[in-house]
Amino acid sequence: MIRLAAALAATVLVGACAAPADTSASGHSATTVTNCGRQLRFDRPPSRVVTVEQSSTETLLALGLGERMVGTAFRSGKILPEYQAAYDKIPVLSAKQLTGEQLRAATPDLVVSSFASNFVKNQLGTREELQELGLPSYISAVECPRDESGTPFERLFRDYENYGRIFGIPDRANALIARQRDALRQSTLTSGKPTVVYLYSVFKDSPYVAGHNGIPSDMSRIIGAPNAFDDVDEEWPQVSWEEIAKRDPTVIVVGDLADRGIPGDSAAEKIAMMRAHPVISQLAAVRENRIIQVPGIELDPTVRSANSLRLVAEGLKSLGVAR
């Protein structure tokens, strides 16, 4: 089993935080961006942003936007060291899932989330409801393959580009895109076609794995190591252990979500479940410890996703199943 220094590698990939952004509207023209089928117009850069979870929080921190953030929620992993000081200055509105009441109490002028599923009536409210209150919402383009063109990483880079336009920081956005494009280029395999299962979480003994058109699916495409469940047209389908065994992957990538605090979230728990299961424990990948651990947050749309791409590529090479 491979344990990799994920946070350190992420530091190399995404670089240090940019300087805090100028929050004035001076010299900033009104801009309109298209996001998941909606037109969002900004007459001035937002200055009171709430991020719904850690993945969107760290993405904005990577762009030096900490001083424009008035709230965050749902930390699912350790904050990267280079973002910790900026993160500590942002009010944590909820340790877990943010409610609509908590969101509105922060009086934001923009709410940002990596996940479309947060914008429903019994959570934050729908995007339409928030817009009626004068609150625009931004969802990662990775979540909207039917509305946004391109591969998942291309859609993630479109997020950076849109943030550059919304906040008036195009140079920072372009620099981040360039760094991560370079990381993607360096993560291809020269030989071997190992198949991979990305095990994200286990809830009530049901595993959730990466399907088609999400970040892990694109990792497999870029690296050249097919995702064993890429034929399933869901980002995170619920499957059975027996179905994983039937696919017989060369390697299993396990997302570590230990800090999220839900039973079955840590990598150690997932690995223990596989080794105790009467069927999946017989897989060669399990018997021979062909398991790669990555931070679970990096399998979602975030500035850190390029880091796990690198970790998986390096892990496959270290295991001797690819070069």
Side-chain angles (χ1 to χ4, degrees):
M1 179 171 57
I2 294 178
R3 301 174 184 265
L4 296 165
L8 179 59
T11 303
V12 174
L13 283 178
V14 302
C17 277
D22 177 7
T23 58
S24 73
S26 176
H28 180 83
S29 301
T31 188
T32 300
V33 301
T34 301
N35 171 236
C36 293
R38 298 178 68 90
Q39 296 288 313
L40 304 179
R41 177 183 169 87
F42 297 90
D43 293 327
R44 61 184 61 81
S47 60
R48 294 187 59 82
V49 184
V50 168
T51 49
V52 179
E53 66 288 300
Q54 182 181 348
S55 50
S56 54
T57 300
E58 289 188 321
T59 296
L60 294 194
L61 290 179
L63 292 167
L65 296 169
E67 290 191 355
R68 302 196 190 189
M69 298 166 68
V70 296
T72 184
F74 209 110
R75 184 175 65 82
S76 56
K78 291 181 172 59
I79 302 297
L80 289 183
E82 62 265 41
Y83 305 146
Q84 188 69 60
Y87 180 86
D88 288 343
K89 296 177 182 178
I90 305 169
V92 177
L93 306 180
S94 173
K96 294 298 181 182
Q97 209 163 55
L98 190 66
T99 67
E101 291 76 13
Q102 291 168 327
L103 173 65
R104 291 189 291 273
T107 63
D109 54 11
L110 175 65
V111 56
V112 177
S113 176
S114 296
F115 309 109
S117 59
N118 284 316
F119 294 96
V120 293
K121 285 184 178 294
N122 63 347
Q123 291 184 35
L124 298 178
T126 67
R127 298 185 80 189
E128 291 77 14
E129 288 171 335
L130 294 176
Q131 190 62 55
E132 288 176 4
L133 297 173
L135 177 56
S137 56
Y138 189 97
I139 299 170
S140 174
V142 178
E143 286 280 281
C144 308
R146 291 174 176 80
D147 298 314
E148 305 270 0
S149 62
T151 66
F153 268 102
E154 288 297 331
R155 300 198 299 273
L156 181 62
F157 296 160
R158 189 171 305 131
D159 288 340
Y160 305 163
E161 182 180 355
N162 283 340
Y163 294 145
R165 293 174 58 191
I166 291 168
F167 292 100
I169 52 165
D171 290 347
R172 295 182 198 175
N174 291 335
L176 179 57
I177 292 169
R179 287 197 300 272
Q180 296 209 332
R181 284 194 188 281
D182 185 57
L184 267 57
R185 284 192 292 269
Q186 295 179 32
S187 295
T188 56
L189 303 178
T190 58
S191 64
K193 288 282 184 180
T195 58
V196 179
V197 162
Y198 297 86
L199 179 58
Y200 185 76
S201 63
V202 178
F203 183 67
K204 294 183 178 178
D205 200 40
S206 292
Y208 288 77
V209 301
H212 180 62
N213 223 355
I215 288 292
S217 173
D218 212 21
M219 289 179 182
S220 276
R221 179 190 63 82
I222 293 165
I223 295 171
N227 172 15
F229 283 92
D230 205 46
D231 61 319
V232 181
D233 194 22
E234 293 179 50
E235 190 173 353
W236 293 109
Q238 178 184 0
V239 300
S240 66
W241 292 114
E242 289 75 14
E243 184 61 27
I244 293 176
K246 188 184 300 182
R247 306 277 174 131
D248 194 16
T250 313
V251 172
I252 300 174
V253 174
V254 177
D256 186 13
L257 292 162
D259 286 358
R260 197 167 72 167
I262 299 174
D265 263 355
S266 73
E269 288 174 293
K270 297 183 186 89
I271 293 167
M273 288 178 196
M274 289 191 291
R275 288 180 173 155
H277 194 277
V279 175
I280 203 167
S281 62
Q282 301 308 305
L283 285 180
V286 177
R287 294 198 320 269
E288 299 173 14
N289 289 325
R290 295 203 298 264
I291 297 170
I292 301 170
Q293 294 186 41
V294 300
I297 186 176
E298 295 179 2
L299 300 178
D300 292 322
T302 171
V303 70
R304 293 171 57 168
S305 297
N307 179 57
S308 272
L309 172 70
R310 178 178 177 176
L311 297 182
V312 173
E314 290 179 349
L316 294 173
K317 294 173 185 177
S318 296
L319 288 168
V321 296
R323 288 186 297 177

